[in-house]
Amino acid sequence: MRVAITGSTGLIGSALTRSLLADGHRVLRLTRARTAARAADGSESATWEPGARLDPAVLDGVDAVVHLAGAGVGDRRWSAAYKQEIRLSRLQGTRTIAEACAEAAVPPRVLVSASATGYYGDTGDRVVTESDPAASDFLASVCVGWESAAAPAAQAGVRVVHPRTGLVVSGGGAWGRLFPLFRYGLGGRLGSGDQYWPFISLPDHIAALRHVIDHEDLAGPLNFTAPEPLTNRAITRATGRILHRPTLAAVPASALRIVLGEFAGSITGSCRAVPDGLLKAGFIFRQPGIDEALRAALDQG
């Protein structure tokens, strides 16, 4: 296959690129920076801008598009300006990609356009599947608009899949920044610790992306989360156990709000999302439990 990827330098995008290239597929990186047409790893590249029209010819000969680009929700404190950046980076970028897919001479077979479990908001200890409604908070409204922005591709007959991703357990990214704290004995629960965290290992996330690309019967939203989400307290204990470190520290919700502002609600909120769609589609998780996911992350460095 030939697969186009936005956000190809990010945690998930770079891992997906490596996975595809290792299996002999061709990768077209859609990047905002001007780079060489062909990289050392054999991938191709083309320039795009989320707020500008993308020449549909760029996607000619592409079998699948995986759209991952967007401003990081935890990269900065949420000012009004940054919230607008988070929203626009997703809505404008997705519409740009979806319209190019729709207008291509031979449209891609599938557009995999990222979303997040933030769609559901804080759901307490209630189990959440893809059929549950959206919440009304900021991140939920972003996710609703994010998914809706892919409509031009779907209306043109392109199969569209929305991975609603949970917290990706990895040696890099946000989770990778937690490991040093635990190694120094500073790891602990966040807030009450009773909130459910819908996690997924990075290898399982990549395998799930490959699964939805290959299976023509899959469309719409799919929760990319491990089969049994755990509370922050349980994940904290597991991390201490794997690293052989105490987990006595705790960060009160009030302190998180002082440091992180509105974003703290995403950390202390609870989402017990389960991958109902993936399981029904026959996807097999390689790291279904938190211990396996943590060990895989540590093996990645």
Side-chain angles (χ1 to χ4, degrees), residues 119-197:
Y119 179 95
Y120 307 108
D122 188 341
T123 57
D125 61 359
R126 176 171 57 86
V127 173
V128 174
T129 71
E130 293 87 351
S131 62
D132 278 83
S136 58
D137 61 17
F138 169 69
L139 281 184
S141 69
V142 169
C143 290
V144 169
W146 199 1
E147 294 181 12
S148 297
Q155 291 164 359
V158 177
R159 179 168 62 95
V160 176
V161 181
H162 296 292
R164 290 177 180 165
T165 298
L167 296 161
V168 180
V169 184
S170 168
W175 207 290
R177 294 197 291 270
L178 292 176
F179 284 133
L181 295 176
F182 280 88
R183 287 193 174 101
Y184 285 113
L186 300 176
R189 61 176 173 80
L190 302 177
S192 71
D194 295 328
Q195 70 273 28
Y196 278 87
W197 276 13

Side-chain angles (χ1 to χ4, degrees), residues 2-206:
R2 187 165 182 250
V3 181
I5 304 174
T6 73
S8 63
T9 59
L11 175 70
I12 295 170
S14 57
L16 177 61
T17 297
R18 290 192 299 270
S19 173
L20 290 166
L21 291 174
D23 285 344
H25 301 294
R26 292 178 295 160
V27 172
L28 172 65
R29 299 175 184 262
L30 297 179
T31 173
R32 298 176 68 177
R34 295 193 177 277
T35 59
R38 186 173 294 275
D41 61 8
S43 62
E44 307 163 73
S45 67
T47 304
W48 81 300
E49 188 64 40
R53 182 177 183 274
L54 174 64
D55 184 353
V58 170
L59 299 182
D60 285 348
V62 167
D63 297 288
V65 178
V66 181
H67 173 47
L68 303 169
V73 296
D75 289 357
R76 300 183 210 164
R77 192 180 178 90
W78 285 3
S79 64
Y82 193 59
K83 287 171 71 173
Q84 182 73 345
E85 183 178 342
I86 289 172
R87 187 185 298 276
L88 290 181
S89 70
R90 284 159 174 74
L91 272 60
Q92 290 181 343
T94 301
R95 182 160 289 277
T96 292
I97 294 296
E99 289 176 347
C101 287
E103 296 169 12
V106 180
R109 292 184 292 105
V110 58
L111 166 60
V112 182
S113 186
S115 186
T117 54
Y119 179 95
Y120 307 108
D122 188 341
T123 57
D125 61 359
R126 176 171 57 86
V127 173
V128 174
T129 71
E130 293 87 351
S131 62
D132 278 83
S136 58
D137 61 17
F138 169 69
L139 281 184
S141 69
V142 169
C143 290
V144 169
W146 199 1
E147 294 181 12
S148 297
Q155 291 164 359
V158 177
R159 179 168 62 95
V160 176
V161 181
H162 296 292
R164 290 177 180 165
T165 298
L167 296 161
V168 180
V169 184
S170 168
W175 207 290
R177 294 197 291 270
L178 292 176
F179 284 133
L181 295 176
F182 280 88
R183 287 193 174 101
Y184 285 113
L186 300 176
R189 61 176 173 80
L190 302 177
S192 71
D194 295 328
Q195 70 273 28
Y196 278 87
W197 276 13
F199 69 90
I200 185 171
S201 75
L202 179 60
D204 275 338
H205 195 290
I206 301 307

